[in-house]
Amino acid sequence: MIHLICPNPAIDRTLLIKNFSSAIPNRPYEVKEFPGGKSFNVAYALKRENPNAKVAIHTIIGGHNGEYLKQLAVEKQYQIIDTAVKQNTRLCNILVDTEKSTIYPVYEKGLQLSDDILKDFSAQIVSTVQDNDTVVFSGSLMKGMPDDYIVQISQKIDKENVKIFVDTSGRPLVEAYKSNPYVIKINDEEIMDLFPNETLSTKEDYIQLIRKIDHIPYFIVTLGAKGVIAKMEDQLFFAKANEIKAKNPIASGDFFLGILTHCIESNLNHEETLKLAIAYSTANCLNWYPEVNQEDVNKVYHTVCLEKL
């Protein structure tokens, strides 16, 4: 089972508008709603590539929006393990001006996390994880969670061969790095949280630094359009797809993580894993919504150049 940790979910509404303007009514010509939060995006990519994957999303939901979020998740065949609260789950609007290629994210504040809610949520995770499962922490921790929350949960899971995947930033990333998770997937800004005194301006700078990281089996840094540098067990790679004209990059990093998780769980070879993860994350940018179509994935996949270092 793959457990995706999503304490701060949302209903994500993407509204497509032409020539967004102030002081006049702006009427979207198309609207789509998705179960939101980084883990739901991870689940989308993972389940799209492997519909039979056993995936559970651990989350905190409440109110009418929470019930609707459950409905949206069921429609996408996601398994939800929820901690119920009274506060209404937040709504996040992503306004996209398709004429100007401009995105306006408007995100509501999440719930106020109490000690009791955090205790219940944490206990739910710990009690559900079994031997040989994978636990994926993606995105920022909720306000009210301690910086070492990932470490605390990892230590409380008293099971054999549990793999911890981490995609976060700031102090939580620093604390998680010290605990030797199985996978760290971050971007070129987040890596500076770990190594603030390093100068990382060229591909060679990243390569020299990542070569020294021998206590984490998978350490992957995405560099946006510049490519990806990945330490995967005892091998080091640089991979890059052809440049594209992006529409909406939101969720691309989550799609990369979802495919990475699927490929590691499926024991795919490292080259195939990187090419497929890059294909999904790049193909997502070609759409206004956080989703991909297979034709785009295939086209991008065949442009990925991979170099073994």
Side-chain angles (χ1 to χ4, degrees):
M1 176 72 78
I2 300 169
H3 302 265
L4 306 178
I5 311 305
C6 187
N8 195 22
I11 296 169
D12 282 354
R13 299 182 77 239
T14 301
L15 301 90
L16 304 188
I17 301 169
K18 292 182 179 179
N19 292 313
F20 184 77
S21 303
S22 61
I24 63 170
N26 290 275
R27 304 189 188 280
Y29 65 86
E30 191 170 292
V31 177
K32 284 189 180 182
E33 295 175 329
F34 301 85
K38 286 184 171 295
S39 292
F40 284 97
N41 297 328
V42 172
Y44 169 84
L46 204 164
K47 292 285 284 184
R48 193 179 191 284
E49 188 62 22
N50 180 12
N52 296 320
K54 294 181 179 179
V55 179
I57 302 173
H58 296 257
T59 191
I60 303 171
I61 55 179
H64 297 296
N65 285 352
E67 291 303 314
Y68 182 44
L69 179 62
K70 281 186 182 181
Q71 179 184 329
L72 291 173
V74 167
E75 290 172 2
K76 292 188 174 293
Q77 299 183 330
Y78 299 156
Q79 178 185 349
I80 301 294
I81 302 176
D82 66 294
T83 299
V85 296
K86 293 181 179 179
Q87 183 174 334
N88 206 24
T89 295
R90 64 188 178 134
L91 178 66
C92 293
N93 290 293
I94 301 96
L95 282 66
V96 180
D97 187 329
T98 56
E99 290 292 320
K100 302 174 184 175
S101 295
T102 306
I103 301 167
Y104 305 89
V106 183
Y107 295 165
E108 288 185 2
K109 182 180 178 182
L111 67 87
Q112 185 68 38
L113 188 65
S114 69
D115 290 342
D116 287 342
I117 294 172
L118 180 58
K119 182 179 178 181
D120 291 345
F121 178 67
S122 302
Q124 168 218 99
I125 298 169
V126 172
S127 66
T128 308
V129 176
Q130 301 299 314
D131 292 345
N132 305 307
D133 282 356
T134 292
V135 183
V136 181
F137 294 89
S138 58
S140 302
L141 296 184
M142 280 187 73
K143 185 177 180 180
M145 288 181 163
D147 289 342
D148 64 344
Y149 181 73
I150 295 172
V151 180
Q152 289 185 26
I153 294 298
S154 302
Q155 292 174 344
K156 288 178 181 177
I157 297 172
D158 187 21
K159 300 296 180 180
E160 297 292 329
N161 302 318
V162 173
K163 299 183 183 72
I164 305 296
F165 289 35
V166 175
D167 180 2
T168 189
S169 60
R171 289 302 308 175
L173 172 61
V174 174
E175 296 299 325
Y177 177 78
K178 297 174 186 175
S179 70
N180 304 341
Y182 192 70
V183 174
I184 286 183
K185 196 286 291 182
I186 49 179
N187 62 33
D188 51 351
E189 294 180 359
E190 292 159 349
I191 194 173
M192 299 310 300
D193 294 329
L194 294 177
F195 307 104
N197 298 321
E198 294 286 342
T199 299
L200 300 173
S201 56
T202 67
K203 182 175 78 171
E204 287 69 28
D205 292 335
Y206 286 98
I207 292 169
Q208 289 182 18
L209 174 61
I210 294 172
R211 280 192 191 281
K212 301 173 186 176
I213 300 172
D214 57 6
H215 62 291
I216 297 172
Y218 290 80
F219 190 94
I220 296 160
V221 182
T222 57
L223 309 174
K226 296 179 181 178
V228 176
I229 297 178
K231 172 190 173 293
M232 307 181 78
E233 298 182 308
D234 59 350
Q235 297 179 306
L236 191 65
F237 300 93
F238 172 74
K240 184 179 182 297
N242 285 354
E243 291 190 21
I244 61 164
K245 184 177 181 181
K247 290 183 176 179
N248 184 354
I250 291 176
S252 289
D254 305 327
F255 283 16
F256 187 104
L257 180 60
I259 296 302
L260 178 68
T261 303
H262 155 68
C263 291
I264 292 175
E265 289 291 295
S266 303
N267 294 312
L268 268 67
N269 68 60
H270 299 329
E271 290 89 345
E272 175 69 11
T273 296
L274 279 176
K275 291 178 71 174
L276 196 58
I278 290 171
Y280 263 80
S281 61
T282 305
N284 172 66
C285 298
L286 296 171
N287 295 287
W288 295 119
Y289 298 109
E291 56 190 12
V292 299
N293 66 66
Q294 196 59 48
E295 183 179 354
D296 288 339
V297 171
N298 294 342
K299 284 182 179 178
V300 175
Y301 178 92
H302 291 295
T303 75
V304 177
C305 293
L306 191 142
E307 178 185 358
K308 190 173 180 179
L309 304 170

